[in-house]
């Protein structure tokens, strides 16, 4: 049935699934008072972070940073735009591309969201070696700064 003698509770994939689901519930609860879904927070924070370090990012760059597909990125960015947290502007060099510009309200909410998410993360990961886990998860996700 399974290569794990103790059953699925020994499967890293099954454990990762349960961990991810639990962590997502924690993030959802932490972000609810800010009226942000987890996806909205991630895309807003990525747009803010990218925009603070360079020229305003294109929507495709924000999605790549967040790891979201183009359709999801577009839908969530549109919702954030509707909330007045960011706006999109055409890229004069590419008619198909849009820049994502974080509004002052969006920047303030991104900063507050980062505080909330980092506090929730600190609590969630308090009982594990977070730096070692970060190295492992980076290797599994195949991402780096």
């Amino acid at each position: 049935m399974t290569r794990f003698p103790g059953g699925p509770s020994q499967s890293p994939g099954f454990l990762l699934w349960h961990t991810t689901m639990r962590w997502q519930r924690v993030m959802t609860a932490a972000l609810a008072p800010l009226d942000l879904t987890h996806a909205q927070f991630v895309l807003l924070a990525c747009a803010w972070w990218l925009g603070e370090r360079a020229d305003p990012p294109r929507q495709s760059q924000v999605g790549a940073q967040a790891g979201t597909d183009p359709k999801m990125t577009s839908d969530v960015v549109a919702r954030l735009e509707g909330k007045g947290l960011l706006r999109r502007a055409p890229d004069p060099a590419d008619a198909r591309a849009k820049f994502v510009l974080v509004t002052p309200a969006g920047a303030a909410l991104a900063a507050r969201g980062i505080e909330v998410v980092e506090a929730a993360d600190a609590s969630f990961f308090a009982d594990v070696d977070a730096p070692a886990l970060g190295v492992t998860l980076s290797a599994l996700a195949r991402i780096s700064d």
Side-chain angles (χ1 to χ4, degrees), residues 25-38 83 116:
R25 286 190 297 274
V26 168
M27 292 300 111
T28 297
L31 291 164
L34 302 181
D35 192 31
L36 288 174
T37 67
H38 197 193
K83 290 181 171 192
V116 165

Side-chain angles (χ1 to χ4, degrees), residues 14-122:
F14 192 67
L15 292 169
L16 184 60
W17 167 259
H18 279 273
T19 302
T20 300
M21 297 303 293
R22 186 170 158 252
W23 178 77
Q24 286 178 341
R25 286 190 297 274
V26 168
M27 292 300 111
T28 297
L31 291 164
L34 302 181
D35 192 31
L36 288 174
T37 67
H38 197 193
Q40 288 172 347
F41 163 72
V42 170
L43 285 161
L44 178 62
C46 286
W48 176 76
W49 187 84
L50 289 169
E52 287 288 305
R53 279 143 188 80
D55 293 328
R58 289 186 177 94
Q59 185 170 295
S60 60
Q61 292 170 303
V62 174
Q65 177 73 25
T68 54
D69 67 68
K71 172 81 170 105
M72 178 184 184
T73 301
S74 181
D75 290 347
V76 174
V77 165
R79 281 189 225 112
L80 292 169
E81 190 172 28
K83 290 181 171 192
L85 301 173
L86 52 80
R87 64 184 183 82
R88 291 182 278 190
D91 179 350
D94 183 350
R96 299 166 298 163
K98 300 241 189 259
F99 288 116
V100 176
L101 307 157
V102 178
T103 66
L109 191 58
R112 179 68 186 124
I114 289 167
E115 291 173 4
V116 165
V117 164
E118 286 186 356
D121 263 356

